[in-house]
Amino acid sequence: MKSLKIKFSLIVNIISITILVILGVVTYFFLKNLIYNQVIKTETSYIKVAKNSIAFFNEKNLKTLNGYAKNILELPYEKLNSQEALMENIGEDLKVLRDTGGFLAAYIAQPNGELVISNTDTDAKSIDFGIYGKKDNYDARTREYYQEALKTNGVYITSSYIDASSKLPCFTYAKALYKDGKFIGVLAIDVLTKDLQKEYEANPGRTFAFDKNNKIFAATDKFQLTEDYDASHITVPARTKADFESFEYIRKKDGSQGLAMCVKVGENTVCTGESISKIEEPINKMNYMQIIIITIAIIVNF
């Protein structure tokens, strides 16, 4: 009789432990799915904030350039048809445009390839604007922003590049100007990303933005802006993913796994990335607790 009770107790204990193990496994996967869904929801909100920062940055610069182009084209053709006319009628306004927008440079590239420009060089000479061209071995007609602006009725935006003087990422916004059907020149502004970078550093999460050449120009982690930083583990697969579609990646540098999500903003892309080990950290802690509880239950019952 006693032996039967022991056997019955043993069976009950085994069943109880089995139930605890099954419950632990089910809880683990339930908790893992719950946390992953919450991470996706959180990362989505982070990337929306980062996307809005890029959109506002572009909108502000486009509005400023288009507004100034409209003002220029309100002048009669004879006040725009020569270098002397441009210098007399819009030269000083280029300085105003630059200072108002906080731009690195503002200029008009003429049909002969020379610039009427306001930039840091003219600041150093204590003048509002100057001429930059043949004597400086520069011809705007050979430059991408000039050539591409002529191919569109809108504004052409270059890929990001590092400004030679400030060593900061920069974009050029360029628009071809025509008056009475005649080409006047290409109006352009060079825009540093420093204000955008400040926004990214203040934004939640770990987000970054890269251009059509996979060059990062804004990031919450400033280390990602360094010249040799390789984000191809995210930028390459991002090209094939839909907006807000999450995907896993493996860093070539250390083999660590991560979870990423991206969204396109014009020709640029904004992404967020998080280490899977960091995501699973609370799951693993809960799993360890369950193992301890089950182990204690086994010891007590036996």
Side-chain angles (χ1 to χ4, degrees):
M1 188 70 176
K2 187 176 180 181
S3 175
L4 184 61
K5 288 182 178 181
I6 293 173
K7 288 181 179 180
F8 179 76
S9 177
L10 181 62
I11 292 172
V12 170
N13 287 335
I14 291 174
I15 292 174
S16 298
I17 292 169
T18 302
I19 292 173
L20 284 173
V21 171
I22 293 173
L23 182 62
V25 172
V26 171
T27 302
Y28 171 79
F29 284 105
F30 174 80
L31 182 62
K32 182 177 182 179
N33 186 59
L34 183 67
I35 290 178
Y36 262 75
N37 287 339
Q38 183 58 47
V39 167
I40 295 298
K41 183 178 179 180
T42 302
E43 296 297 310
T44 299
S45 66
Y46 290 163
I47 206 169
K48 284 181 178 179
V49 172
K51 176 186 177 182
N52 289 339
S53 294
I54 293 286
F56 178 75
F57 175 79
N58 278 332
E59 182 182 353
K60 181 185 70 172
N61 296 326
L62 289 170
K63 183 178 180 180
T64 301
L65 186 66
N66 282 321
Y68 188 67
K70 182 179 179 181
N71 291 339
I72 290 175
L73 294 177
E74 288 177 351
L75 295 171
Y77 176 71
E78 58 269 19
K79 291 189 176 183
L80 302 170
N81 64 353
S82 69
Q83 181 166 290
E84 291 72 21
L86 289 173
M87 292 174 67
E88 180 179 352
N89 296 294
I90 69 166
E92 292 181 357
D93 288 342
L94 289 172
K95 172 66 172 174
V96 175
L97 169 64
R98 179 169 157 250
D99 289 344
T100 302
F103 304 131
L104 181 65
Y107 47 97
I108 288 186
Q110 303 170 78
N112 65 2
E114 296 212 322
L115 306 182
V116 179
I117 186 171
S118 175
N119 62 1
T120 53
D121 289 337
T122 57
D123 287 347
K125 297 174 183 176
S126 298
I127 55 178
D128 290 337
F129 64 93
I131 300 298
Y132 189 80
K134 293 179 181 178
K135 65 178 182 179
D136 307 290
N137 296 317
Y138 178 89
D139 188 342
R141 296 170 297 184
T142 66
R143 302 303 174 107
E144 174 197 355
Y145 76 86
Y146 186 99
Q147 296 172 352
E148 295 300 323
L150 294 178
K151 298 176 183 179
T152 176
N153 292 325
V155 175
Y156 177 73
I157 307 173
T158 67
S159 299
S160 65
Y161 59 93
I162 301 300
D163 171 58
S165 58
S166 67
K167 306 301 181 184
L168 294 172
C170 179
F171 288 94
T172 294
Y173 290 67
K175 181 179 180 66
L177 301 181
Y178 297 88
K179 180 67 178 183
D180 299 333
K182 300 174 183 177
F183 178 55
I184 302 299
V186 173
L187 174 65
I189 51 175
D190 293 342
V191 186
L192 288 171
T193 61
K194 60 180 182 179
D195 290 338
L196 179 64
Q197 176 59 27
K198 288 180 182 178
E199 284 191 37
Y200 264 64
E201 290 175 19
N203 284 346
R206 189 172 186 271
T207 56
F208 63 93
F210 61 93
D211 62 23
K212 56 190 175 185
N213 293 325
N214 293 341
K215 174 63 179 175
I216 296 176
F217 58 85
T220 53
D221 180 1
K222 294 176 70 174
F223 178 69
Q224 292 182 302
L225 297 175
T226 55
E227 193 66 30
D228 58 348
Y229 184 82
D230 182 11
S232 60
H233 51 280
I234 294 180
T235 59
V236 173
R239 298 297 185 189
T240 63
K241 303 298 179 181
D243 287 353
F244 300 109
E245 178 185 355
S246 61
F247 59 93
E248 294 186 2
Y249 63 85
I250 298 177
R251 292 185 64 186
K252 296 178 182 179
K253 183 177 180 180
D254 54 15
S256 61
Q257 292 180 301
L259 183 70
M261 181 187 299
C262 301
V263 60
K264 295 173 182 62
V265 189
E267 293 192 333
N268 300 317
T269 306
V270 180
C271 292
T272 179
E274 190 61 83
S275 168
I276 285 182
S277 62
K278 186 175 180 180
I279 295 173
E280 293 183 342
E281 186 176 341
I283 303 174
N284 292 331
K285 286 183 178 179
M286 180 62 71
N287 191 38
Y288 293 148
M289 290 179 63
Q290 289 178 337
I291 292 174
I292 292 173
I293 291 172
I294 292 173
T295 302
I296 294 173
I298 292 174
I299 294 173
V300 170
N301 281 282
F302 286 94

